[in-house]
Amino acid sequence: MNNSCFSQFQPLAAIATTPQSASILQHLHSNLELELWLPQSLEGTENTRFYQTNLSEHLTNIWHEYRAFVFCLATGAVVRLIAPLIESKATDPAVVVIDAQGRFVISLCSGHQGGADLLAQLIAQQIGAQSIITGASDSLRLPKIDLLGLPYGWRKGDGDWTGVMAAIAKNQTVQIIQEVGSTLWQQNLPDGHPFYFGFPEANQQFQPQGRIWISATQRRFASNSDFPKVQWHPRVLWIGIGCERGTSAQLIETAITDTLQKYHLSSKAIAGIATIDLKADEVGILELCQSWNLPLRTFSAQQLSPIDIPNPSEIVQQEVGTPSVAEAAAILASNTDNSLIVAKQIIKLPHQSGAVTVAIAQPEQEYIGRQGKLYLVGIGPGSLEQITPAAKTAIIQADVVIGYSLYLDLIKPLLRPEQIIESFPITQEKQRAQRSRELAQWGLTVAVISSGDCGIYGMAGLVLEELQAEDWDGKNPVVEVFPGISALQAAAARVGAPLMHDFCAISLSDLLTPWQVIQKRLEAAAQGDFVTAIYNPRSQKRTQQIVTAQEIFLKYRRNDTPVALVSSAYRLNETINITTLKEMLKHPIDMLTIIIIGNSSTRRHTDWVITPRGYLGFDG
Ligand code: SAH
């Protein structure tokens, strides 16, 4: 199966040298896409590749072909193997080591930028092992500042990154000056974090020991500066281009770099290029977009003409049917009014024909440049043990985790300091669905969590409905649903095997379903002799429904039909009452209770509830 949570590490190589370690990696292999390399001597294993040379030579050959390596080998051996190959933490692949018993997953090298820390955590969840991360910011529960902007597509600029990270590790004050880009990362900083936001008041004594600029400006830091500084560049600049047919990529590039330089803007802050649709096949523009890896947005003359711009041109109007290309296209691409920050510049080169016009618009929201993903995740009834490894992986990998605060608390140990955590009150399901769609459409990976299974009275349906209403094409954002153990399974497991025969689930909440419909289904379930799991049985305001439900069931089932009331299954304050249909309302029932009403053959045996698979006496 291809688990998309690992896509950022693809291609991924796994290397083992003994049958035991090979089998640990084989197990991983069945859950995610990796290339398993084994020595020739272990031949006979399926889905693997074999290396002919010694491992050191082999590794040298394949080192640049993979984004990540997982070794199931002694750490010492791995250190010796990779030592001659490692170059820089900006470019080295992630290296993760698993011990031969599969108990520990160690992030060895390229923990931050290479993503080894995250990969180690994801693999640990897959194989039920402990991840070992030794980076300093991890222990402080602070976001790693060299990863800070990655979810939002920011680009890392110049500066003394090691110096600023060292200051943070020592808990020294680091000033943050954020001029553009999302501030979502600031939402979940732990108490006592070392960041100081903005500029101090004139009368305030303040001496930072590090500074992080988050801006579109290109800053040059003096090497003898008294404290380390770094800069992140959110991609907020839409470059509008107008040019004559046949203009060279070189002239266009010069025009853009000259303009950026004149206004002290960083080329790393460019979101993309915008122009008129007549230029969609302009070779120079296409070449530039390709070599700078930028998107091209084009607009028709009809779209461009009505845009309010400072420098309309009669000549351009006559030629292409709009008074502005560069300015209007930049504004349109930025999707925001009043976003123009650099009005039309006309650039020519001394010995070249043609001219290029450049204008720059800057919207509020940065361009992420990735396809968003929505993970709809069921976290099971409550304890971390009851979450599937796949669901844990999805939660750990997500940029944003959205859910009801109680459920976010339940999964707290899985959350990373870099993640954006958005908790909503229990009633705001629709807002949660809307917010998740917006963030995923923007380009983030969003995990929306539900208790139990996300598709059983959970968030999955709401989010998909929300997408459908927005004309979703089924692909973008990518949606993946991660099933969880629903309350009816959890409760059944706590009392034995009450769901062994045909059963159904009915929610008594009439918030979204008319009460007449619920009543009709209760009647049908009771009459049809289904074992029935009742969700949302009673809230503070809604108390009558469960009384009616009991009356309906009593019409068709004996007074002594076994009923299990399970509250907060698999959570700290779990309570279980096994009672009868007649007596059930004498016990506490609330919104954390699920009720399982037996069918006509369900029995109680000591503290257990059993629904026989076949009718008594039938031995076919
Ligand atoms: N998606 C969830 C159901 C959400 S509806 C699932 O699949 O389980 C909320 C209702 O689920 C609660 O009112 C209660 O009836 C039931 N419920 C959820 N978690 C529970 C738990 N741990 N123990 C008992 N009932 C639970």
mmCIF file of all heavy atoms in Angstrom, residues 446-483:
data_model
loop_
_atom_site.group_PDB
_atom_site.id
_atom_site.type_symbol
_atom_site.label_atom_id
_atom_site.label_comp_id
_atom_site.label_asym_id
_atom_site.label_seq_id
_atom_site.Cartn_x
_atom_site.Cartn_y
_atom_site.Cartn_z
ATOM 1 N N VAL A 446 -3.621 18.966 6.100
ATOM 2 C CA VAL A 446 -4.484 19.190 7.262
ATOM 3 C C VAL A 446 -5.059 17.862 7.745
ATOM 4 O O VAL A 446 -5.666 17.130 6.963
ATOM 5 C CB VAL A 446 -5.664 20.118 6.885
ATOM 6 C CG1 VAL A 446 -6.517 20.443 8.099
ATOM 7 C CG2 VAL A 446 -5.163 21.396 6.229
ATOM 8 N N ALA A 447 -4.851 17.547 9.016
ATOM 9 C CA ALA A 447 -5.494 16.359 9.586
ATOM 10 C C ALA A 447 -6.696 16.817 10.397
ATOM 11 O O ALA A 447 -6.561 17.639 11.299
ATOM 12 C CB ALA A 447 -4.517 15.603 10.477
ATOM 13 N N VAL A 448 -7.866 16.335 10.015
ATOM 14 C CA VAL A 448 -9.075 16.660 10.776
ATOM 15 C C VAL A 448 -9.391 15.424 11.597
ATOM 16 O O VAL A 448 -9.558 14.336 11.040
ATOM 17 C CB VAL A 448 -10.268 16.928 9.838
ATOM 18 C CG1 VAL A 448 -11.459 17.418 10.635
ATOM 19 C CG2 VAL A 448 -9.890 17.928 8.780
ATOM 20 N N ILE A 449 -9.432 15.580 12.906
ATOM 21 C CA ILE A 449 -9.619 14.376 13.707
ATOM 22 C C ILE A 449 -11.024 14.271 14.275
ATOM 23 O O ILE A 449 -11.684 15.261 14.591
ATOM 24 C CB ILE A 449 -8.578 14.288 14.844
ATOM 25 C CG1 ILE A 449 -8.651 15.512 15.747
ATOM 26 C CG2 ILE A 449 -7.168 14.120 14.298
ATOM 27 C CD1 ILE A 449 -7.964 15.281 17.062
ATOM 28 N N SER A 450 -11.483 13.028 14.339
ATOM 29 C CA SER A 450 -12.754 12.717 14.972
ATOM 30 C C SER A 450 -12.483 11.619 15.979
ATOM 31 O O SER A 450 -11.575 10.823 15.779
ATOM 32 C CB SER A 450 -13.737 12.107 13.969
ATOM 33 O OG SER A 450 -14.143 13.031 13.017
ATOM 34 N N SER A 451 -13.299 11.542 17.012
ATOM 35 C CA SER A 451 -13.159 10.387 17.897
ATOM 36 C C SER A 451 -13.719 9.175 17.159
ATOM 37 O O SER A 451 -14.472 9.322 16.191
ATOM 38 C CB SER A 451 -13.926 10.616 19.194
ATOM 39 O OG SER A 451 -15.303 10.465 18.953
ATOM 40 N N GLY A 452 -13.357 8.014 17.602
ATOM 41 C CA GLY A 452 -13.876 6.793 16.985
ATOM 42 C C GLY A 452 -13.478 6.714 15.530
ATOM 43 O O GLY A 452 -12.326 6.928 15.167
ATOM 44 N N ASP A 453 -14.449 6.466 14.690
ATOM 45 C CA ASP A 453 -14.209 6.474 13.249
ATOM 46 C C ASP A 453 -14.668 7.821 12.707
ATOM 47 O O ASP A 453 -15.722 8.332 13.115
ATOM 48 C CB ASP A 453 -14.999 5.342 12.589
ATOM 49 C CG ASP A 453 -14.688 5.287 11.104
ATOM 50 O OD1 ASP A 453 -13.651 4.719 10.750
ATOM 51 O OD2 ASP A 453 -15.479 5.838 10.310
ATOM 52 N N CYS A 454 -13.884 8.373 11.767
ATOM 53 C CA CYS A 454 -14.239 9.717 11.296
ATOM 54 C C CYS A 454 -15.431 9.691 10.352
ATOM 55 O O CYS A 454 -16.042 10.713 10.078
ATOM 56 C CB CYS A 454 -13.042 10.376 10.633
ATOM 57 S SG CYS A 454 -12.331 9.338 9.378
ATOM 58 N N GLY A 455 -15.780 8.518 9.853
ATOM 59 C CA GLY A 455 -16.912 8.417 8.942
ATOM 60 C C GLY A 455 -18.179 7.928 9.632
ATOM 61 O O GLY A 455 -19.176 7.649 8.971
ATOM 62 N N ILE A 456 -18.148 7.786 10.951
ATOM 63 C CA ILE A 456 -19.352 7.378 11.689
ATOM 64 C C ILE A 456 -19.699 8.517 12.643
ATOM 65 O O ILE A 456 -19.021 8.739 13.641
ATOM 66 C CB ILE A 456 -19.106 6.049 12.451
ATOM 67 C CG1 ILE A 456 -18.762 4.946 11.446
ATOM 68 C CG2 ILE A 456 -20.317 5.680 13.309
ATOM 69 C CD1 ILE A 456 -18.456 3.597 12.054
ATOM 70 N N TYR A 457 -20.715 9.275 12.300
ATOM 71 C CA TYR A 457 -21.071 10.505 13.021
ATOM 72 C C TYR A 457 -19.825 11.356 13.288
ATOM 73 O O TYR A 457 -19.676 11.948 14.348
ATOM 74 C CB TYR A 457 -21.775 10.192 14.352
ATOM 75 C CG TYR A 457 -22.888 9.189 14.243
ATOM 76 C CD1 TYR A 457 -22.836 8.002 14.963
ATOM 77 C CD2 TYR A 457 -23.981 9.411 13.422
ATOM 78 C CE1 TYR A 457 -23.850 7.061 14.872
ATOM 79 C CE2 TYR A 457 -25.008 8.483 13.325
ATOM 80 C CZ TYR A 457 -24.936 7.304 14.046
ATOM 81 O OH TYR A 457 -25.937 6.388 13.950
ATOM 82 N N GLY A 458 -18.909 11.371 12.315
ATOM 83 C CA GLY A 458 -17.651 12.102 12.508
ATOM 84 C C GLY A 458 -17.514 13.213 11.484
ATOM 85 O O GLY A 458 -18.488 13.631 10.846
ATOM 86 N N MET A 459 -16.282 13.680 11.323
ATOM 87 C CA MET A 459 -16.025 14.840 10.474
ATOM 88 C C MET A 459 -15.880 14.495 8.990
ATOM 89 O O MET A 459 -15.937 15.376 8.141
ATOM 90 C CB MET A 459 -14.746 15.553 10.937
ATOM 91 C CG MET A 459 -14.856 16.303 12.243
ATOM 92 S SD MET A 459 -16.078 17.616 12.183
ATOM 93 C CE MET A 459 -15.344 18.686 10.950
ATOM 94 N N ALA A 460 -15.660 13.211 8.665
ATOM 95 C CA ALA A 460 -15.347 12.871 7.269
ATOM 96 C C ALA A 460 -16.455 13.319 6.312
ATOM 97 O O ALA A 460 -16.191 13.958 5.295
ATOM 98 C CB ALA A 460 -15.091 11.380 7.130
ATOM 99 N N GLY A 461 -17.690 13.006 6.671
ATOM 100 C CA GLY A 461 -18.807 13.363 5.808
ATOM 101 C C GLY A 461 -18.925 14.865 5.637
ATOM 102 O O GLY A 461 -19.102 15.374 4.523
ATOM 103 N N LEU A 462 -18.792 15.582 6.742
ATOM 104 C CA LEU A 462 -18.933 17.043 6.695
ATOM 105 C C LEU A 462 -17.895 17.677 5.783
ATOM 106 O O LEU A 462 -18.191 18.570 4.997
ATOM 107 C CB LEU A 462 -18.730 17.608 8.102
ATOM 108 C CG LEU A 462 -19.967 18.170 8.769
ATOM 109 C CD1 LEU A 462 -20.788 17.044 9.329
ATOM 110 C CD2 LEU A 462 -19.578 19.139 9.859
ATOM 111 N N VAL A 463 -16.649 17.212 5.917
ATOM 112 C CA VAL A 463 -15.577 17.789 5.114
ATOM 113 C C VAL A 463 -15.805 17.465 3.634
ATOM 114 O O VAL A 463 -15.660 18.335 2.772
ATOM 115 C CB VAL A 463 -14.192 17.288 5.589
ATOM 116 C CG1 VAL A 463 -13.100 17.753 4.649
ATOM 117 C CG2 VAL A 463 -13.918 17.759 6.999
ATOM 118 N N LEU A 464 -16.191 16.233 3.345
ATOM 119 C CA LEU A 464 -16.427 15.870 1.945
ATOM 120 C C LEU A 464 -17.612 16.649 1.371
ATOM 121 O O LEU A 464 -17.580 17.090 0.223
ATOM 122 C CB LEU A 464 -16.639 14.358 1.813
ATOM 123 C CG LEU A 464 -15.348 13.534 1.974
ATOM 124 C CD1 LEU A 464 -15.654 12.048 2.085
ATOM 125 C CD2 LEU A 464 -14.381 13.779 0.820
ATOM 126 N N GLU A 465 -18.648 16.850 2.187
ATOM 127 C CA GLU A 465 -19.795 17.652 1.715
ATOM 128 C C GLU A 465 -19.357 19.082 1.416
ATOM 129 O O GLU A 465 -19.757 19.685 0.427
ATOM 130 C CB GLU A 465 -20.871 17.714 2.799
ATOM 131 C CG GLU A 465 -21.830 16.549 2.798
ATOM 132 C CD GLU A 465 -22.883 16.766 3.885
ATOM 133 O OE1 GLU A 465 -23.676 17.713 3.788
ATOM 134 O OE2 GLU A 465 -22.880 15.980 4.848
ATOM 135 N N GLU A 466 -18.527 19.606 2.301
ATOM 136 C CA GLU A 466 -18.009 20.965 2.160
ATOM 137 C C GLU A 466 -17.213 21.095 0.846
ATOM 138 O O GLU A 466 -17.366 22.054 0.097
ATOM 139 C CB GLU A 466 -17.125 21.235 3.386
ATOM 140 C CG GLU A 466 -16.311 22.486 3.377
ATOM 141 C CD GLU A 466 -17.113 23.732 3.689
ATOM 142 O OE1 GLU A 466 -18.158 23.639 4.337
ATOM 143 O OE2 GLU A 466 -16.665 24.806 3.239
ATOM 144 N N LEU A 467 -16.389 20.079 0.572
ATOM 145 C CA LEU A 467 -15.603 20.086 -0.664
ATOM 146 C C LEU A 467 -16.519 19.985 -1.877
ATOM 147 O O LEU A 467 -16.340 20.665 -2.881
ATOM 148 C CB LEU A 467 -14.628 18.906 -0.675
ATOM 149 C CG LEU A 467 -13.391 19.051 0.201
ATOM 150 C CD1 LEU A 467 -12.699 17.706 0.348
ATOM 151 C CD2 LEU A 467 -12.419 20.058 -0.399
ATOM 152 N N GLN A 468 -17.510 19.110 -1.750
ATOM 153 C CA GLN A 468 -18.434 18.904 -2.868
ATOM 154 C C GLN A 468 -19.150 20.211 -3.212
ATOM 155 O O GLN A 468 -19.280 20.570 -4.380
ATOM 156 C CB GLN A 468 -19.444 17.829 -2.476
ATOM 157 C CG GLN A 468 -20.307 17.380 -3.612
ATOM 158 C CD GLN A 468 -21.512 16.589 -3.097
ATOM 159 O OE1 GLN A 468 -21.760 16.509 -1.900
ATOM 160 N NE2 GLN A 468 -22.248 16.005 -4.017
ATOM 161 N N ALA A 469 -19.542 20.948 -2.178
ATOM 162 C CA ALA A 469 -20.245 22.215 -2.402
ATOM 163 C C ALA A 469 -19.344 23.226 -3.107
ATOM 164 O O ALA A 469 -19.814 24.171 -3.727
ATOM 165 C CB ALA A 469 -20.722 22.779 -1.068
ATOM 166 N N GLU A 470 -18.040 23.040 -2.989
ATOM 167 C CA GLU A 470 -17.088 23.959 -3.623
ATOM 168 C C GLU A 470 -16.602 23.437 -4.967
ATOM 169 O O GLU A 470 -15.520 23.795 -5.427
ATOM 170 C CB GLU A 470 -15.882 24.158 -2.705
ATOM 171 C CG GLU A 470 -16.181 24.882 -1.422
ATOM 172 C CD GLU A 470 -16.398 26.369 -1.640
ATOM 173 O OE1 GLU A 470 -15.603 26.974 -2.357
ATOM 174 O OE2 GLU A 470 -17.387 26.893 -1.104
ATOM 175 N N ASP A 471 -17.357 22.496 -5.542
ATOM 176 C CA ASP A 471 -16.991 21.943 -6.849
ATOM 177 C C ASP A 471 -15.636 21.269 -6.884
ATOM 178 O O ASP A 471 -14.869 21.394 -7.831
ATOM 179 C CB ASP A 471 -16.995 23.056 -7.923
ATOM 180 C CG ASP A 471 -18.364 23.161 -8.538
ATOM 181 O OD1 ASP A 471 -19.136 22.185 -8.380
ATOM 182 O OD2 ASP A 471 -18.660 24.207 -9.139
ATOM 183 N N TRP A 472 -15.344 20.540 -5.864
ATOM 184 C CA TRP A 472 -14.072 19.805 -5.752
ATOM 185 C C TRP A 472 -13.957 18.812 -6.905
ATOM 186 O O TRP A 472 -14.933 18.156 -7.264
ATOM 187 C CB TRP A 472 -14.087 19.079 -4.405
ATOM 188 C CG TRP A 472 -12.911 18.228 -4.092
ATOM 189 C CD1 TRP A 472 -11.608 18.562 -4.177
ATOM 190 C CD2 TRP A 472 -12.953 16.890 -3.583
ATOM 191 N NE1 TRP A 472 -10.821 17.521 -3.735
ATOM 192 C CE2 TRP A 472 -11.619 16.485 -3.376
ATOM 193 C CE3 TRP A 472 -13.973 15.992 -3.262
ATOM 194 C CZ2 TRP A 472 -11.291 15.221 -2.869
ATOM 195 C CZ3 TRP A 472 -13.647 14.750 -2.766
ATOM 196 C CH2 TRP A 472 -12.327 14.374 -2.582
ATOM 197 N N ASP A 473 -12.749 18.698 -7.495
ATOM 198 C CA ASP A 473 -12.572 17.769 -8.617
ATOM 199 C C ASP A 473 -12.223 16.356 -8.155
ATOM 200 O O ASP A 473 -11.915 15.486 -8.967
ATOM 201 C CB ASP A 473 -11.489 18.295 -9.577
ATOM 202 C CG ASP A 473 -10.112 18.336 -8.915
ATOM 203 O OD1 ASP A 473 -10.006 18.003 -7.712
ATOM 204 O OD2 ASP A 473 -9.138 18.690 -9.603
ATOM 205 N N GLY A 474 -12.237 16.120 -6.853
ATOM 206 C CA GLY A 474 -11.949 14.779 -6.339
ATOM 207 C C GLY A 474 -10.463 14.524 -6.142
ATOM 208 O O GLY A 474 -10.085 13.479 -5.612
ATOM 209 N N LYS A 475 -9.633 15.466 -6.587
ATOM 210 C CA LYS A 475 -8.182 15.222 -6.528
ATOM 211 C C LYS A 475 -7.418 16.299 -5.767
ATOM 212 O O LYS A 475 -6.440 16.027 -5.085
ATOM 213 C CB LYS A 475 -7.618 15.171 -7.957
ATOM 214 C CG LYS A 475 -8.188 14.059 -8.794
ATOM 215 C CD LYS A 475 -7.377 13.944 -10.086
ATOM 216 C CE LYS A 475 -8.068 13.094 -11.119
ATOM 217 N NZ LYS A 475 -9.032 13.842 -11.941
ATOM 218 N N ASN A 476 -7.850 17.519 -5.929
ATOM 219 C CA ASN A 476 -7.111 18.635 -5.343
ATOM 220 C C ASN A 476 -8.043 19.463 -4.459
ATOM 221 O O ASN A 476 -8.956 20.073 -4.976
ATOM 222 C CB ASN A 476 -6.540 19.506 -6.470
ATOM 223 C CG ASN A 476 -5.672 20.618 -5.946
ATOM 224 O OD1 ASN A 476 -5.251 20.589 -4.797
ATOM 225 N ND2 ASN A 476 -5.427 21.603 -6.782
ATOM 226 N N PRO A 477 -7.870 19.488 -3.165
ATOM 227 C CA PRO A 477 -6.842 18.810 -2.393
ATOM 228 C C PRO A 477 -7.007 17.289 -2.380
ATOM 229 O O PRO A 477 -8.118 16.778 -2.530
ATOM 230 C CB PRO A 477 -7.033 19.371 -0.979
ATOM 231 C CG PRO A 477 -8.427 19.873 -0.929
ATOM 232 C CD PRO A 477 -8.769 20.302 -2.312
ATOM 233 N N VAL A 478 -5.873 16.628 -2.168
ATOM 234 C CA VAL A 478 -5.889 15.174 -2.014
ATOM 235 C C VAL A 478 -6.632 14.854 -0.714
ATOM 236 O O VAL A 478 -6.431 15.526 0.287
ATOM 237 C CB VAL A 478 -4.424 14.674 -1.866
ATOM 238 C CG1 VAL A 478 -4.385 13.201 -1.517
ATOM 239 C CG2 VAL A 478 -3.636 14.971 -3.128
ATOM 240 N N VAL A 479 -7.489 13.861 -0.766
ATOM 241 C CA VAL A 479 -8.177 13.459 0.471
ATOM 242 C C VAL A 479 -7.835 12.015 0.783
ATOM 243 O O VAL A 479 -7.832 11.163 -0.110
ATOM 244 C CB VAL A 479 -9.706 13.621 0.330
ATOM 245 C CG1 VAL A 479 -10.430 13.006 1.523
ATOM 246 C CG2 VAL A 479 -10.076 15.089 0.210
ATOM 247 N N GLU A 480 -7.513 11.740 2.037
ATOM 248 C CA GLU A 480 -7.295 10.360 2.450
ATOM 249 C C GLU A 480 -8.042 10.154 3.772
ATOM 250 O O GLU A 480 -7.965 11.001 4.663
ATOM 251 C CB GLU A 480 -5.794 10.108 2.625
ATOM 252 C CG GLU A 480 -5.434 8.658 2.385
ATOM 253 C CD GLU A 480 -3.913 8.443 2.308
ATOM 254 O OE1 GLU A 480 -3.197 9.283 1.734
ATOM 255 O OE2 GLU A 480 -3.467 7.441 2.848
ATOM 256 N N VAL A 481 -8.764 9.044 3.854
ATOM 257 C CA VAL A 481 -9.557 8.791 5.058
ATOM 258 C C VAL A 481 -8.880 7.681 5.866
ATOM 259 O O VAL A 481 -8.521 6.644 5.319
ATOM 260 C CB VAL A 481 -10.997 8.359 4.688
ATOM 261 C CG1 VAL A 481 -11.850 8.232 5.947
ATOM 262 C CG2 VAL A 481 -11.634 9.358 3.721
ATOM 263 N N PHE A 482 -8.679 7.930 7.154
ATOM 264 C CA PHE A 482 -8.022 6.951 8.034
ATOM 265 C C PHE A 482 -9.047 6.432 9.033
ATOM 266 O O PHE A 482 -9.482 7.178 9.913
ATOM 267 C CB PHE A 482 -6.844 7.612 8.772
ATOM 268 C CG PHE A 482 -5.734 8.012 7.845
ATOM 269 C CD1 PHE A 482 -5.811 9.191 7.116
ATOM 270 C CD2 PHE A 482 -4.620 7.207 7.676
ATOM 271 C CE1 PHE A 482 -4.803 9.562 6.242
ATOM 272 C CE2 PHE A 482 -3.603 7.568 6.813
ATOM 273 C CZ PHE A 482 -3.689 8.746 6.089
ATOM 274 N N PRO A 483 -9.441 5.165 8.901
ATOM 275 C CA PRO A 483 -10.491 4.649 9.786
ATOM 276 C C PRO A 483 -10.009 4.506 11.225
ATOM 277 O O PRO A 483 -8.817 4.395 11.489
ATOM 278 C CB PRO A 483 -10.812 3.280 9.187
ATOM 279 C CG PRO A 483 -9.584 2.884 8.447
ATOM 280 C CD PRO A 483 -8.948 4.150 7.970
#
